[in-house]
Amino acid sequence: MMMRNVLTVLTIFFFTSQAVGQNPNLSTQDKKALKYYQEASALLRRVQYPEAIDPLRKALDRDQNFIEAWQALGLSYFKTGKLDQAIECYEKPIEIDKESVRVPRSYFTLADLYFQKEEYQKAVDFANLYIENRQNETANIKTLQTIIQNSEYILEAIKEPLPYNIKPLPGQANYFKQQYFPVLTVDQQSLIYTGRNRDENIYISRLGENGDWGMPSPISNNINTDLNEGACTISADGRILIFTSCQGRRGFGSCDLYITYKEGNDWAVPENLGIDVNSSSWDVQPTLSADGRTLYFVSDRPGGLGKKDIWKSSKGEDDKWSSPVNIGAPVNTSLDEISPFIHVNGESLYFASKGHAGMGGFDIFMSEVNDGIWSEPTNLGYPLNDRYDQVSLYISSGGEKGYYTIERVVNGEWRSVLHSFDVPPQFRVKRRSVFTIGHVIDKGTRKFLGADIKIFDQSNSELISKVKSDAVTGEYTIVLTEGNEYGLYVEKRGYLFADYSFNVNKIENFNSDNLEIELQSIKEGVSMVLNNIYFEFDSFELKKESYSELQTVYEFLKANRNVSIEIQGYTDDKGTKQYNEALSENRAKSVYQYLLDKKVPPRMLSYKGLGAQNFISPNDTDENRAKNRRIEFVIKKLDN
């Protein structure tokens, strides 16, 4: 489950076939040199690279122009991590006979070796030399073109390092030798990640008042076991968690995704996401939308563009997950894409890839979705990306702060350290998000309530997200993305729904103070203002922004068949009494007719226009007058 930081190593089997003596047309006639070479060949076939060095040296003592022996010795040094010696060996055939048909094999490996040594111009030069000499070798040329692409990208990127200001997380977050795949709750007060002690488990660390992260503790005994748990994601409210488990749990494939829900302070026993999401393949590294209803994850199942691709599943109105779909190009490529992170705005995807131009190995990229189409991925640049693998990051709701893991070998051991960084402006999300936290409360008893909370885009009445308040604490978290007007509806059986509207033009102008929501139990005589009903000016024609509210009223009546309501229309104090009464009645009738058209039984509905009376605000400003121009409904009858 942990992604090791290993350098890109090109396959050099076509060297091995020469080195192990399968080609009789060798470049030496010295019989003793051939004997030593054949001895080394047997060792190379058994991948005994250190042992092959001595006989190859002896072969070269006999014949310094033995090209295949130099290349085999280079292979032995290459496989034992001695890159400088390997380079010397692979360069020897070029000195011996630049025109030899055997020399391009040196060009091929030297391109990779110099890339690993971060001598990128030499890597490009040798790659081009090979391509010039072996233009018909498509597979090898494709590999070298990747080296050229990455080298040229790096040469430009390192000229102007970006101001990432990368720092290890302060405090105790980096308690283990290895910790990775960080995610945070939307308020950035709780850090959840995979920590490796004897096995992998999920831990939580909380931010202290001094800005340091506290000692990590296991997230829950219901989640962590003696098996491996890791690579998790959490909804914005911190109440839905999906994680990866690869050993021991009963599942469908080598690694499966599991889900658990938090109620109060306790996490439920995890459940396998099921065959609708998991497969017989490798299903890992989940990332959830803010409301926990859209899931991206990595799988190597059939039907993808590469071996490892990013897939997507959504939860429907029936709360069942859809069959996953591959998100396709340009995000996924013929190579590997892993560790996706979907920002809380639901539009900005960050992921690691080997298939796009980068620094080599896995680099982190970002892509934005618009009307279902993903933009061409952008590399996040140097020094966030470097010659090591970069995977698994989290970006804050405002898009300015990020968190990720840096892995290195320290004193012969792999160490994984969590870091934070500043996101340069060009890599921040196009649309930022803001969150607000509050509670849902019974207006009469003051008890906390578990309720459904729906958020609609008012411009098209599209459902944006759906969350629940905690049944024990009543707490909820909603996330709103700038550039939209939203309608928010809070529903619970046995209660009138509550409605609100938010204009999030710029998050700097949004009041994110806690919103305490009171629900009124259904009783005869109680009423509520329909805050999201809008009409054209001086008209009773319903505006499209009203449809989310109208749909919510319809669903309320559908769920409460024992209720009869009166729809009441009101105006402000401008205009004549006769005009205001007529306008208010026609507006109330428009709502009444909409509900009739939705097949609400007529016995449940009536309407009345009351004109300029029962003001809820003084008629002294345009804003207050707008509040008085309203539609209400009153519970007129409640059948047992």
Side-chain angles (χ1 to χ4, degrees), residues 469-484:
S469 60
D470 191 288
V472 176
T473 66
E475 187 172 273
Y476 71 88
T477 301
I478 58 171
V479 176
L480 304 172
T481 298
E482 66 183 350
N484 285 344

Side-chain angles (χ1 to χ4, degrees), residues 289-290 294 296 331 341-350 366-375 429-433 457 464 480-484 486:
S289 62
T294 302
Y296 297 85
V331 172
F341 167 75
I342 189 69
H343 188 262
V344 291
N345 67 12
E347 301 169 353
S348 305
L349 181 72
Y350 296 81
M366 74 174 294
S367 178
E368 301 268 353
V369 68
N370 185 18
D371 291 332
I373 305 299
W374 293 99
S375 66
V429 297
K430 289 183 178 179
R431 297 208 302 158
R432 300 167 295 170
S433 296
D457 182 341
I464 298 297
L480 304 172
T481 298
E482 66 183 350
N484 285 344
Y486 297 96

Side-chain angles (χ1 to χ4, degrees), residues 54-84:
D54 183 62
L56 287 169
R57 279 291 183 196
K58 290 178 178 177
L60 290 167
D61 286 342
R62 296 286 307 182
D63 186 352
Q64 284 288 306
N65 294 326
F66 191 174
I67 290 176
E68 292 84 359
W70 282 113
Q71 291 172 334
L73 184 59
L75 171 62
S76 300
Y77 283 135
F78 178 80
K79 290 295 187 179
T80 53
K82 299 175 181 178
L83 299 190
D84 289 334

Side-chain angles (χ1 to χ4, degrees), residues 235-270:
S235 58
D237 61 8
R239 297 180 57 243
I240 304 172
L241 186 138
I242 296 178
F243 65 93
T244 309
S245 184
C246 293
Q247 295 179 13
R249 276 188 170 88
R250 193 171 179 180
F252 299 96
S254 56
C255 292
D256 276 9
L257 299 174
Y258 294 77
I259 190 167
T260 177
Y261 300 91
K262 189 178 185 182
E263 194 166 285
N265 293 319
D266 298 323
W267 288 98
V269 174

